[in-house]
Amino acid sequence: MKFTLSWLKEHLDTNATLEELLVGLTKLGLEVESVDDPSAKLAGFTIARVLTAAPHPQADKLQVLTVDTGDGNPLQVVCGAPNARADLVGVFGAAGATVPANGMVLRVAAIRGVESNGMMCSARELELGEEHDGIIELPVDAPVGTSFADYKGLSDPVIDIAVTPNRQDCMGVRGIARDLAAGGYGTLKPLDIPTIRGEGPSSIMVATEDPEGCPAFFARTVTGVTNGSAPDWMKRRLHAVGQKPISALVDITNYVMLDHGRPLHVYDLAKLNGGLVARKASDGESLTALNGKQYQLDATMTVIADDAHVHDIGGIMGGAESGVSETTTDVLIECAYFTPETIARTGQKLGLTSDARQRFERGVDPAFLGDGLAIATQLVLEICGGKPSDVVEAGQPPVGHATFKYDPLAAARLGGMDVAPERQREILARLGFGIDGAWTVRVPSWRRDVEGTADIVEEIVRIEGIDNVPAVALPRPDGVARPTATPEQKVERILRRTAAARGLNEAVTWSFLPQGEADHFGGAAWVLANPISEELKAMRPSLLPGLLAAARRNLDRAAGPVRLFELGRRYLADGERPTLGLLLAGEAPRDWRGRKAPLDAYTAKDEAMALLAAVGAPVDRLQVMEAMATTWHPGRSGSLRLSPKTILAEFGELHPTTLKTFGLDGPVVAAEIYLDAIPAKRDAARMRTAYAPPALQPVKRDFAFILSRDAPADTLLRAVRGADKEAIVDIALFDVFTGTGVAENEKSLAIEVTLQPAQKSFTEADLQAISERVVAAAAKTGARLRG
């Protein structure tokens, strides 16, 4: 919401400085986003009079001017404007000034051999309009030498505040002034509501057939108007806050909307057929709006129509066909109340937003229809002339005031601030609330957000100042505080630290995906009906799409290799699933030792196994089976399971079509760890014993086994590990061999077995017995000791 300082002072009698008002606005909850002083960009531009104008000796379209800038030393200026002439009073930019339109710094320069000491300016060059065919012409009595910004009243700071959705009353300058007055920054000036006597009944009747969408429809006609240009003071204010002045009638409705938060609309009577009625649209009706776009309407939308067709999307935007123009002489001014819910649904369906919609869907003051219509009519009569009709009122605005009992002690109980009851009464009265002697509060019609005691306390604390709420420490029990992290939080904390320690960079990606990307990962179980963007519509069934998109962005910028992980949630049909996803992409950098091993499924498996081991998962009992999802490369991926149905993780290379979908090529491997599948630790409340290294040194023995070429190595390793659960503490595969000496359909697997003695060192007999048990266990899987 933008407004100027002078505009604010139309409603607020204050001696506060601009800086004090800015601080006050933020304290009151109306956060100041920016302050722009338009006079700053016009520094160096003054009023000047052209004394003489002569043709340029070297150019037919240029003139050499002598300009009086007010200091007694006329300057020579070269000018190409066709209206430049002697005795013209305009705007002069001196050397050193910066032209707002293009940022050019003026300097003394020779133009076709003639020295020029600045420039005479057009409206476009000063960003004051679109006129650029000639220089600005000011009245002959304009004071020469005066700052142009001061002369035009442009030294008026523009303040931009953020208005939260619950503060619909501050979508107009008067509501902002009311808040500042309540905060002690001045006095709210009384509002002068004009009394306008109609000169006969309206020639156009209005009605509402949609009491749910448009409970009240007020209007009056004004005949014999002249729709010229709005006065300078109005155009200046509208331009300052970003509104483009169009014509007097349109500018008046925009001005009242910004001044009081009350949208209105003006129709050209000559373009209407019969009376106007607020009704539901019919399926298939359409309207070309004032923005030039055509909209298809349906039966859920409130529209305003005459006997022939629709003229207005109620409360959002008028139609182009019945809009006013410079030839308009008779108008109907509409002031209606539209329910916020109807406006919001219609705007969302049509994807159409406007200043009027922003106010109606927050909730305008339903008691201000007659007053708003009177203010707008008075401005039309003053600026455009004409004769007003009597007001036509259709329907009844919902002006019921909420009332409830309030306890002044609630300010201390809920807000933590001890405020005297009389001070609370004063604050509420300044905000427009009614309070009787028994503390029955009557909510003003412009505050639909206030429903009970908690809302009143918020108002008291807001006006008194959040900074004045005393800081009170929370009670702290004696002794050492018990840990508050849940087991799930502890697991995530360990995984995050372990992943970072292994060189992975944490990523945080969107929980929403394009529908196509979600379909590629099995489809989304949950899709938003009203997303903020079609690209953020489906809730992710996997963490990998976000990591793939992040990897692509990094690799496109040569920021590789990529090593990413993310802790987040997958959204499946049966609920949210905590998951860790990791992705590795790009080739490792070269060094003098040669390239490192390329990324493959085993790289992803190692990362997954290390992370699972860090959180205490039984990695020694995990079975490696095929991956379930089709996004993995068949034969170059797998899953880690405790049983055929209990999957802890999936890993491997991604399918080539998956990489193509996300615009990637080259080696890309990934893994997903399903945190809710990791078995919980037993005796989690008991502290673990201190680490005690074995007293005796371990013994390592190597074995080589021959087995079928298609037999999984994991089966052999699991069998060998179980051969002697007390002595065997670790096992590792270190060689796979096929070729000379091994049958074509067989392979040789070499494994290293680590044996740990407990009470005494192993004897040769002990080692021989353990070796025999290892060979016997391997034989049960179909493997034989290689000779």
Side-chain angles (χ1 to χ4, degrees):
M1 174 67 192
K2 290 184 177 181
F3 56 93
T4 67
L5 182 60
S6 67
W7 197 345
L8 177 67
K9 290 184 177 181
E10 290 283 333
H11 297 279
L12 183 68
D13 186 3
T14 180
N15 293 320
T17 64
L18 174 62
E19 289 70 23
E20 290 171 339
L21 291 174
L22 297 178
V23 172
L25 285 167
T26 299
K27 283 186 175 181
L28 293 169
L30 304 173
E31 184 177 356
V32 176
E33 294 196 321
S34 66
V35 180
D36 179 31
D37 186 358
S39 65
K41 63 183 180 182
L42 295 177
F45 294 90
T46 59
I47 298 174
R49 184 187 304 275
V50 178
L51 300 177
T52 64
H56 192 290
Q58 302 296 330
D60 294 339
K61 295 184 178 181
L62 298 179
Q63 296 187 74
V64 180
L65 311 180
T66 304
V67 177
D68 177 13
T69 61
D71 62 358
N73 297 311
L75 297 175
Q76 179 173 281
V77 176
V78 176
C79 180
N83 64 333
R85 63 187 182 276
D87 294 327
L88 180 146
V89 179
V91 181
F92 171 70
T98 301
V99 179
N102 55 24
M104 179 179 69
V105 179
L106 300 177
R107 57 188 178 87
V108 178
I111 301 177
R112 294 288 187 94
V114 176
E115 182 179 82
S116 181
N117 294 276
M119 70 181 294
M120 298 296 291
C121 305
S122 69
R124 177 183 286 186
E125 288 164 338
L126 299 185
E127 294 186 337
L128 298 177
E130 295 302 319
E131 297 83 3
H132 65 286
D133 292 334
I135 56 179
I136 296 172
E137 294 192 36
L138 300 176
V140 294
D141 59 351
V144 174
T146 302
S147 164
F148 176 65
D150 292 341
Y151 171 76
K152 293 293 288 185
L154 298 176
S155 300
D156 192 8
V158 179
I159 304 166
D160 186 8
I161 63 171
V163 181
T164 53
N166 65 314
R167 294 306 309 278
Q168 66 279 345
D169 57 309
C170 289
M171 291 299 287
V173 179
R174 184 162 183 83
I176 297 167
R178 183 188 299 113
D179 251 29
L180 285 168
Y185 293 92
T187 304
L188 186 67
K189 295 180 180 179
L191 183 61
D192 182 19
I193 304 297
T195 301
I196 299 174
R197 298 178 62 88
E199 299 188 16
S202 171
S203 60
I204 293 289
M205 299 306 295
V206 300
T208 176
E209 297 176 358
D210 180 17
E212 178 188 359
C214 179
F217 187 175
F218 290 10
R220 80 182 329 148
T221 60
V222 182
T223 57
V225 301
T226 301
N227 188 23
S229 178
D232 286 345
W233 64 267
M234 182 179 288
K235 290 194 295 185
R236 243 188 344 261
R237 286 183 177 173
L238 292 175
H239 187 274
V241 300
Q243 290 278 351
K244 180 182 179 181
I246 299 173
S247 68
L249 290 170
V250 175
D251 294 349
I252 287 169
T253 60
N254 286 335
Y255 183 80
V256 175
M257 176 185 66
L258 295 168
D259 198 31
H260 296 281
R262 159 38 69 183
L264 304 104
H265 190 61
V266 180
Y267 298 88
D268 188 334
L269 281 183
K271 300 176 181 178
L272 300 180
N273 295 297
L276 287 179
V277 59
R279 61 170 173 82
K280 291 294 186 187
S282 300
D283 290 333
E285 282 188 303
S286 63
L287 170 74
T288 300
L290 287 171
N291 61 5
K293 297 181 180 180
Q294 189 173 44
Y295 295 93
Q296 296 297 318
L297 311 176
D298 63 40
T300 66
M301 303 174 183
T302 301
V303 298
I304 295 178
D306 62 9
D307 295 344
H309 48 256
V310 174
H311 284 286
D312 191 352
I313 304 172
I316 299 180
M317 189 171 289
E321 186 173 336
S322 59
V324 296
S325 65
E326 66 276 1
T327 62
T328 297
T329 57
D330 303 321
V331 297
L332 180 135
I333 308 173
E334 166 241 301
C335 186
Y337 180 83
F338 299 94
T339 55
E341 296 78 10
T342 300
I343 293 294
R345 286 194 296 266
T346 300
Q348 290 169 359
K349 277 189 176 182
L350 297 178
L352 177 60
T353 187
S354 67
D355 291 326
R357 174 191 167 184
Q358 289 179 1
R359 287 159 176 81
F360 275 122
E361 72 179 352
R362 292 167 182 250
V364 301
D365 183 0
F368 200 70
L369 269 73
D371 293 346
L373 183 57
I375 292 171
T377 304
Q378 182 67 30
L379 287 170
V380 170
L381 296 177
E382 290 176 354
I383 298 170
C384 304
K387 297 180 180 180
S389 73
D390 296 333
V391 175
V392 183
E393 297 183 0
Q396 189 67 33
V399 293
H401 297 270
T403 59
F404 51 85
K405 283 284 189 179
Y406 173 69
D407 181 4
L409 297 178
R413 187 175 67 253
L414 298 180
M417 181 180 286
D418 192 7
V419 183
E422 288 310 310
R423 171 59 178 158
Q424 296 188 48
R425 187 183 293 273
E426 177 190 359
I427 291 173
L428 294 175
R430 287 189 173 191
L431 289 171
F433 291 83
I435 317 102
D436 64 14
W439 284 95
T440 298
V441 174
R442 182 174 182 267
V443 181
S445 57
W446 57 81
R447 291 301 300 272
R448 67 188 291 264
D449 59 304
V450 176
E451 299 177 347
T453 295
D455 298 316
I456 296 297
V457 171
E458 181 183 0
E459 295 300 298
I460 300 296
V461 174
R462 183 172 65 86
I463 299 301
E464 281 292 276
I466 296 290
D467 293 345
N468 295 324
V469 176
V472 179
L474 292 173
R476 184 183 181 91
D478 295 334
V480 179
R482 296 180 62 85
T484 58
T486 64
E488 293 77 12
Q489 290 173 326
K490 292 178 180 178
V491 166
E492 291 187 5
R493 184 182 303 167
I494 294 171
L495 285 172
R496 185 173 279 111
R497 291 178 177 176
T498 304
R502 293 183 64 82
L504 299 174
N505 298 306
E506 184 170 10
V508 179
T509 65
W510 293 107
S511 296
F512 303 98
L513 303 171
Q515 184 77 55
E517 292 185 7
D519 291 342
H520 199 76
F521 281 81
W526 306 98
V527 179
L528 298 185
N530 183 33
I532 60 175
S533 166
E534 282 297 315
E535 297 301 310
L536 298 173
K537 183 176 183 179
M539 300 193 75
R540 63 186 180 192
S542 168
L543 270 63
L544 296 183
L547 294 175
L548 283 165
R552 183 186 66 245
R553 288 192 297 271
N554 280 274
L555 293 175
D556 286 348
R557 292 160 177 78
V562 175
R563 296 176 61 85
L564 300 175
F565 81 95
E566 180 176 10
L567 271 166
R569 299 290 187 269
R570 294 177 298 134
Y571 300 93
L572 308 181
D574 58 352
E576 300 181 18
R577 298 296 184 183
T579 306
L580 182 144
L582 64 90
L583 184 138
L584 311 176
E587 295 182 353
R590 293 177 293 177
D591 61 22
W592 62 273
R593 295 167 296 178
R595 285 189 181 273
K596 296 182 179 179
L599 298 175
D600 57 18
Y602 298 106
T603 310
K605 179 187 175 186
D606 288 345
E607 298 293 342
M609 292 286 282
L611 293 172
L612 287 170
V615 294
V619 292
D620 57 334
R621 294 194 289 113
L622 294 181
Q623 304 175 41
V624 179
M625 298 184 180
E626 71 280 359
M628 302 295 294
T630 58
T631 51
W632 301 104
H633 192 301
R636 298 183 185 178
S637 60
S639 61
L640 299 173
R641 313 189 189 199
L642 277 175
S643 68
K645 293 185 178 181
T646 305
I647 304 175
L648 269 60
E650 288 188 306
F651 65 90
E653 295 184 25
L654 291 169
H655 199 285
T657 49
T658 303
L659 298 181
K660 184 177 180 181
T661 299
F662 287 86
L664 289 167
D665 54 15
V668 178
V669 300
E672 278 194 315
I673 299 175
Y674 310 130
L675 307 187
D676 53 347
I678 300 175
K681 293 182 179 179
R682 296 181 179 178
D683 299 328
R686 182 172 60 83
M687 293 184 65
R688 65 185 180 186
T689 57
Y691 172 71
L696 301 174
Q697 292 183 347
V699 177
K700 295 184 179 181
R701 287 290 185 268
D702 294 344
F703 297 85
F705 293 100
I706 299 293
L707 66 165
S708 175
R709 180 169 292 194
D710 58 358
D714 184 64
T715 302
L716 175 65
L717 298 178
R718 291 168 61 84
V720 171
R721 185 183 297 276
D724 190 327
K725 295 182 179 180
E726 292 185 0
I728 299 175
V729 295
D730 193 19
I731 186 171
L733 174 68
F734 67 86
D735 183 58
V736 179
F737 177 75
T738 57
T740 304
V742 178
E744 185 176 352
N745 63 340
E746 292 182 329
K747 61 184 174 183
S748 170
L749 299 183
I751 61 175
E752 179 185 73
V753 178
T754 302
L755 309 174
Q756 178 62 57
Q759 302 299 326
K760 60 179 182 178
S761 299
F762 291 123
T763 64
E764 285 298 326
D766 294 334
L767 294 175
Q768 182 62 32
I770 294 172
S771 298
E772 291 173 356
R773 287 194 290 272
V774 167
V775 172
K780 293 179 180 180
T781 68
R784 67 181 187 275
L785 193 64
R786 182 179 177 183

